[in-house]
Amino acid sequence: NAGVTQTPKFQVLKTGQSMTLQCAQDMNHEYMSWYRQDPGMGLRLIHYSVGAGITDQGEVPNGYNVSRSTTEDFPLRLLSAAPSQTSVYFCASGSPETQYFGPGTRLLVL
Amino acid sequence: TQLLEQSPQFLSIQEGENLTVYCNSSSVFSSLQWYRQEPGEGPVLLVTVVTGGEVKKLKRLTFQFGDARKDSSLHITAAQTGDTGLYLCAGVSYTGFQKLVFGTGTRLLVSP
């Protein structure tokens, strides 16, 4: 099993550009989530999904969209990147109590 | 927003020393987890505690969930250099039962 995979590992964007962070898992987990990690602030939940077709907002959802068309994939879309979205993004799957994290995507918005 | 505060934020010790990391909140949690994160990687789950007063041991690591389910502690006995990393507590609250809230983290450096 590959577990949770994320692509790309690193991305530089200009303000206003859009992009999609990819996340896939091969553990057949219904629950998947996206977090951002900023220095001194721990991980903050952006969006989560409890199954295909079902998503909900977390603590910091503004500026991000998600969809869940399959159990395996949970992409995170930035529609118009802003410097405040510079962060490390982690995708996870499992359950709220037991989450397996991907290796992260480091995003720099100039 | 439920807040989980960790202390200390940073800890630098020598190999062989003992240490305790604290995770405190004013909110009640149905479960609480501890993760360890190494540079450039995602957090890795160490333990989940679900019962107030519960104590779990993982080799030299001892985890405790407070009786009121608002706080937790992580105690490491005879720290080793391999224990170096960022330790994160996280909780699932009764009001946000599908959302995991993370603490701000404790960065541990164990020197030989």
Side-chain angles (χ1 to χ4, degrees):
Chain A
N1 285 352
V4 179
T5 58
Q6 291 184 239
T7 56
K9 291 187 186 300
F10 182 72
Q11 183 72 45
V12 179
L13 290 178
K14 293 182 179 179
T15 297
Q17 287 185 318
S18 63
M19 79 160 294
T20 299
L21 280 65
Q22 301 292 344
C23 174
Q25 54 97 3
D26 60 1
M27 296 175 282
N28 203 33
H29 291 150
E30 295 292 337
Y31 185 93
M32 295 185 73
S33 52
W34 276 101
Y35 297 85
R36 59 177 289 173
Q37 186 173 31
D38 302 299
M41 301 192 72
L43 279 79
R44 291 182 292 169
L45 181 64
I46 304 171
H47 286 285
Y48 67 97
S49 170
V50 298
I54 307 170
T55 64
D56 203 350
Q57 296 180 351
E59 184 184 355
V60 287
N62 293 340
Y64 308 95
N65 277 358
V66 293
S67 60
R68 184 95 177 270
S69 56
T70 68
T71 299
E72 295 77 19
D73 300 298
F74 190 40
L76 178 72
R77 280 182 286 276
L78 283 71
L79 300 178
S80 179
S84 61
Q85 294 178 303
T86 292
S87 188
V88 182
Y89 291 85
F90 289 99
C91 177
S93 76
S95 70
E97 295 81 11
T98 304
Q99 298 202 29
Y100 300 92
F101 284 82
T105 293
R106 189 173 297 272
L107 177 66
L108 175 62
V109 183
L110 301 175
Chain B
T1 302
Q2 298 93 23
L3 294 176
L4 277 168
E5 296 188 2
Q6 287 186 238
S7 61
Q9 291 186 335
F10 182 74
L11 194 55
S12 180
I13 61 173
Q14 297 293 118
E15 209 168 22
E17 292 185 34
N18 301 332
L19 67 115
T20 301
V21 177
Y22 299 94
C23 176
N24 296 294
S25 177
S26 58
S27 301
V28 177
F29 291 91
S30 63
S31 69
L32 203 138
Q33 296 81 46
W34 284 91
Y35 289 81
R36 182 167 73 201
Q37 184 179 21
E38 309 219 5
E41 299 181 6
V44 175
L45 180 66
L46 296 174
V47 76
T48 298
V49 285
V50 296
T51 305
E54 182 177 3
V55 177
K56 279 192 174 179
K57 292 191 175 183
L58 186 66
K59 296 183 180 179
R60 295 176 292 100
L61 279 60
T62 301
F63 305 86
Q64 185 162 9
F65 199 13
D67 291 340
R69 310 169 75 94
K70 294 183 178 182
D71 55 85
S72 179
S73 64
L74 159 60
H75 181 78
I76 300 179
T77 303
Q80 299 177 356
T81 55
D83 295 327
T84 293
L86 179 66
Y87 289 82
L88 297 158
C89 67
V92 179
S93 74
Y94 289 103
T95 54
F97 71 98
Q98 293 175 325
K99 303 177 184 179
L100 192 62
V101 176
F102 276 84
T104 51
T106 294
R107 193 165 297 279
L108 173 65
L109 175 62
V110 182
S111 303

